[in-house]
Amino acid sequence: RHRPGMAAAVGPEEFVYGEEDFILPGAGWESDPTASLSRFDRMLLDSWDDRAERGLFRYRLGPLPARSLPGALGLVAQLHVQRGTERRPPQLVRSLQDPFDPSAFNFTRLRPGELLLRLRRADGSRSGAAAPAPEPLLVAINASPLERGHVLLLPEPARLLPQALTAPVLLGALEAALLSAHPGLRLGFNGLGGGASVNHLHLHGLYLPRPLPVEAAPAQPLGPRLGLLLRGVPAPAFLFFAGGPAELEAVARDVCGAAERLTAAGLAYNVLVTRGEPPAGPRPGAARGLRVLLWARRPSLGAKDGAAFTVALCELVGHLPLPAAALYRDITEEQALRHIREHLLPEPELLRLGGELARLL
């Protein structure tokens, strides 16, 4: 067992990587996803477990009840009372472009022991001399975790960047996704007005032990590099796809360009990075790649209510962490979808917006 004060001496391990570390193609769900973890997975999970033993989380994460809701989409409800009662209160969001507030909680206040890894691309490892480098990222524990391995991915916290996604940061996250051999590692972003709890630039990383409809649902083409997931998913989303490392930079640029357009139009957004099928859906011989989903939504301003059914990234993909036993017991797919879709745009408006984004890209 650790001695009091030991955690302060623990800091992030350097994780230097190149394209030879990418797992291509990504593993599917045909076999046990924990049977052949990558170097990245092992370092992340081992250091996460170490911090749990050191008592650096707000609560000890034990087995959580979960159930699949009857219905076509296979939504999964999970009872998570501790996260609802013991997490840090979310910050007040006044507008979609709130500046960074140094007086509010931010990630410069993390203890050294909360930092797990420092991800950095090896010098000279990118294809092409002119290819821009991804942002180096710190991997830190989420002190109020949803699952084992729930982490935050942070650009240098001292830069004091507000919660608006940038292409170099997203590119670093896309490369981090390719470092994992676990098909359930999802990386995601909650924007201001879209469920973000801290206005300091960060993404979430989360291992979920099950496939999601958004990994395979076919997309309606909107343009050469943009599709729309409209059917068979909990919430319609714009789809970008990278079939391999050479396409990551363009995808990061396109996603962030579209997100900027949404913000300018007064809309909030969420982003998910996951292994998945090509835009047309599963086809014989078609190789999986990275799907990047962008949700456009009506902004939710003011303080986020931690006791209610909130709609952020997890809910949009069909994973429902619920803070109350009665809600967990009684919620139906129809009720969950009604809560989720209250925050979304009507289909005609979404299609018009998709046309604008296709022309932009």
Side-chain angles (χ1 to χ4, degrees), residues 228 230-231 236 238 345-356:
L228 177 62
L230 199 56
R231 310 285 177 234
F238 297 110
L345 304 179
E347 185 172 320
E349 188 176 343
L350 193 64
L351 289 169
R352 285 196 300 271
L353 180 60
E356 294 176 15

Side-chain angles (χ1 to χ4, degrees), residues 310-334:
T310 58
V311 176
L313 186 64
C314 283
E315 290 77 13
L316 292 171
V317 302
H319 177 75
L320 314 177
L322 300 172
L327 183 60
Y328 167 77
R329 183 189 65 235
D330 297 335
I331 194 166
T332 66
E333 180 181 270
E334 181 183 8

Side-chain angles (χ1 to χ4, degrees), residues 25-64:
W29 293 96
E30 298 81 16
S31 58
D32 179 3
T34 64
S36 55
L37 297 176
S38 67
R39 178 171 71 101
F40 170 76
D41 294 315
R42 291 192 301 270
M43 287 183 67
L44 187 155
L45 291 169
D46 287 350
S47 56
W48 195 97
D49 290 343
D50 172 76
R51 301 323 192 261
E53 287 299 312
R54 293 171 181 271
L56 292 182
F57 292 88
R58 286 178 168 255
Y59 46 81
R60 182 169 289 276
L61 189 66
L64 298 170

Side-chain angles (χ1 to χ4, degrees), residues 253 279 337 347:
R253 183 181 64 245
L337 293 177
E347 185 172 320

